Amino acid sequence: MATASATPTPATPTSASAAPGEGAVRLGAGGAGLGVPAIVLMIIAASAPLTVVAGGVTTNYAVSGLTGVPLGMLLLAGGLLVYAVGYVAMSRHIRNAGAFYAYIARGLGPEAGVAGAWTALVAYNAMQIGIYGMLGFTASSFVTAKTGAEIPWWAFVLVTIALIAVLGVNRVDVSVKVVGVLVALEFVAVLVYDVVSLAVAPEGVSAAGFAPGDLLAPGIGVVLVMGIAAFMGFESGAIYTEEARDPVRTVPRATFTAVIVIGAFYAFSAWAMLIGSGPSATVGAAQENGPDLLFVQLGERVGPIVADLAQVLFISSLLAALISFHHAVARYAFALGREHMLLPSFGRVNGRGAPALGSLAQTALAAVVVIAFAIAGAGSELGPLYPVLTLFTWLTNLGALGLIVLMAVVSVAVIGFFARDRRGVGAWTRLVAPAIAAAFFATVTVLTLANWNLLLGEAETGFLTFALPGLLVVAAVVGLAIAVQAKHRRPHAFESIGTGAVPVARADAAR
């Protein structure tokens, strides 16, 4: 059976594939030349710090009923750092825009790689499109509160989709400039809140939230499941290896930097919220105010103008995340198209070096899904919260589940990749760390499924309980079927899987 080799074969008249850099279509025509800061910004943008602190941390306190959220964030960051050890080690040897795709293909086989890539397509699309629900609701509610004008949530979303469509067909460094400003502003907003919270400290400043007893109690599963969603997007650094200035050094440094920064930032901000509300009152305040807690406290302690600015930045935080996930989807479509595991036209770049067709397809899909939810939600008993309780909740949880599963699989793929050739890598990097990471993400997957109804806001098991995870299974099966079909009928394409090479049929392929 022909499989993708660790070192792609250069293109010749009789070779099955063209090696990357030797006739292969590459992203970033002319070289986007992304450095560590640029990739870190794209990673952090996907994580959406202000959205996580205002929405995720508050909800975590409210649902789990525990004060150990800060410690939970540190534990999750530690687990992700262990995962990153093997992940970035592979990034030094594999330069491919379809990161999970290539890593799984080269570690576990072409069939598994394509199955993983199609799963990633669904997961990233779900994350991106789901966020539109929160953005539409927040923008609509804010405008109504300040002006009295009642503009439907989907109107704001369609305008945003058009904006992201423009950014998506340009080189990624254009988006980096936009995202850089948005991320910097949301960091400032959260830090202002943190400083004010610590200054107020109604019960004094303490180490509350970091004691093992604050976390090791019933509800810890909720803390970890909701907490891991806050980091989704951290793995996206490897997607930009083809557009990085020096991928061997840039991607590893950017990945580790992003995990450390957002992990420390989330833990600190969760602690500041705990201290600012009072450890004994935080859970109650979170349950009463929900995601508005941060803005309510800013309004009371600093003034309504600052609270309003923070809400605007909350919306821009969602926009930054949308831009980042949009680029991830387009690059996975590009990687699959380039190797003919999707329509080959997806594997082409425009004059700006951007994967234009993948970007436009994601834009079209987002518009169709949003319009469908807008029609279904007309007159819903859920009222204004409809896009949050359905579009946002359903799809972002689906996306997070898909990415968690993929990271568990990638951890196993790391072991498989280095088992064939150690490449001078030590046992910690090629075996121990990936094994720990695989166990870690497998555990989080089980916890996620165990709390699935809670995450979806469903009181009982119903159609959604199985339908949403079923989409990931269907995607994996479709990818597997495409790879098996290629193995038997398009061997030249099968041999290119995970290599980043454009398939070139042998002269005798039709015989």
Side-chain angles (χ1 to χ4, degrees):
M1 179 182 70
T3 58
S5 60
T7 305
T9 305
T12 67
T14 59
S15 69
S17 61
E22 297 187 29
V25 179
R26 306 294 291 181
L27 285 173
L34 300 180
V36 172
I39 296 178
V40 168
L41 283 173
M42 293 301 284
I43 294 173
I44 292 177
S47 297
L50 179 52
T51 301
V52 167
V53 175
V57 171
T58 307
T59 303
N60 210 330
Y61 279 125
V63 177
S64 71
L66 298 180
T67 58
V69 175
L71 178 58
M73 289 295 186
L74 287 182
L75 290 178
L76 289 169
L80 294 178
L81 285 173
V82 173
Y83 165 80
V85 169
Y87 186 65
V88 301
M90 282 193 79
S91 74
R92 294 187 175 96
H93 303 283
I94 300 175
R95 187 184 180 194
N96 194 302
F100 285 160
Y101 168 43
Y103 294 0
I104 296 173
R106 302 281 286 277
L108 299 178
E111 297 92 340
V114 182
W118 276 80
T119 303
L121 267 182
V122 171
Y124 278 115
N125 264 302
M127 289 292 290
Q128 205 268 358
I129 298 172
I131 293 172
Y132 279 121
M134 179 63 78
L135 181 140
F137 165 77
T138 306
S140 178
S141 299
F142 182 77
V143 170
T144 299
K146 299 304 172 185
T147 69
E150 295 187 1
I151 303 174
W153 67 271
W154 50 262
F156 292 97
V157 172
L158 293 178
V159 171
T160 305
I161 289 175
L163 171 62
I164 293 175
V166 174
L167 293 173
V169 295
N170 281 281
R171 270 178 28 174
V172 69
D173 49 347
V174 176
S175 293
V176 168
K177 295 172 183 176
V178 176
V179 165
V181 174
L182 299 180
V183 169
L185 289 174
E186 60 180 297
F187 262 95
V188 170
V190 176
L191 286 173
V192 168
Y193 170 77
D194 292 346
V195 171
V196 171
S197 296
L198 293 176
V200 174
E203 298 177 20
V205 177
S206 67
F210 292 107
D214 296 334
L215 180 63
L216 300 177
I220 183 175
V222 175
V223 172
L224 296 179
V225 168
M226 289 190 166
I228 196 68
F231 292 87
M232 289 299 97
F234 91 95
E235 78 296 333
S236 61
I239 294 172
Y240 301 102
T241 52
E242 296 185 22
E243 297 154 284
R245 185 175 303 127
D246 181 5
V248 173
R249 295 182 176 83
T250 300
V251 172
R253 290 175 182 174
T255 301
F256 281 118
T257 299
V259 174
I260 292 171
V261 169
I262 60 180
F265 187 72
Y266 291 161
F268 177 77
S269 297
W271 174 68
M273 181 177 288
L274 186 71
I275 298 302
S277 302
S280 66
T282 299
V283 172
Q287 291 172 340
E288 177 182 354
N289 295 281
D292 283 338
L293 178 61
L294 183 150
F295 307 111
V296 168
Q297 291 182 342
L298 276 177
E300 294 173 346
R301 297 166 180 175
V302 183
I305 294 179
V306 174
D308 288 347
L309 286 174
Q311 286 188 310
V312 172
L313 292 175
F314 180 80
I315 297 171
S316 70
S317 170
L318 295 168
L319 174 60
L322 286 164
I323 293 171
S324 183
F325 281 117
H326 175 86
H327 282 295
V329 172
R331 277 148 185 77
Y332 268 97
F334 167 81
L336 284 166
R338 177 172 55 186
E339 297 174 10
H340 297 187
M341 294 298 110
L342 191 61
L343 291 176
S345 51
F346 280 92
R348 299 169 188 159
V349 295
N350 61 14
R352 303 179 185 90
L357 185 57
S359 175
L360 293 173
Q362 203 284 323
T363 296
L365 177 62
V368 169
V369 173
V370 166
I371 291 171
F373 270 84
I375 294 172
S380 170
E381 60 182 15
L382 297 177
L385 281 171
Y386 177 83
V388 176
L389 298 178
T390 58
L391 180 60
F392 175 76
T393 300
W394 297 351
L395 296 193
T396 55
N397 279 304
L398 170 63
L401 174 62
L403 294 178
I404 292 168
V405 171
L406 284 170
M407 285 189 278
V409 175
V410 168
S411 298
V412 178
V414 171
I415 297 174
F417 178 76
F418 287 110
R420 298 187 183 94
D421 183 351
R422 296 185 180 181
R423 299 172 183 264
V425 175
W428 165 252
T429 299
R430 61 181 168 78
L431 181 60
V432 179
I436 295 173
F440 171 76
F441 284 112
T443 301
V444 175
T445 298
V446 172
L447 289 173
T448 301
L449 292 174
N451 292 277
W452 192 238
N453 284 353
L454 176 64
L455 294 173
L456 297 181
E458 299 287 320
E460 299 178 357
T461 298
F463 175 74
L464 281 177
T465 306
F466 301 100
L468 289 176
L471 291 175
L472 299 175
V473 176
V474 170
V477 170
V478 169
L480 179 62
I482 291 173
V484 171
Q485 186 270 348
K487 180 178 181 180
H488 295 289
R489 299 188 179 183
R490 297 180 291 131
H492 59 291
F494 184 80
E495 292 174 10
S496 293
I497 292 174
T499 67
V502 178
V504 178
R506 293 188 180 94
D508 62 349
R511 296 178 187 172

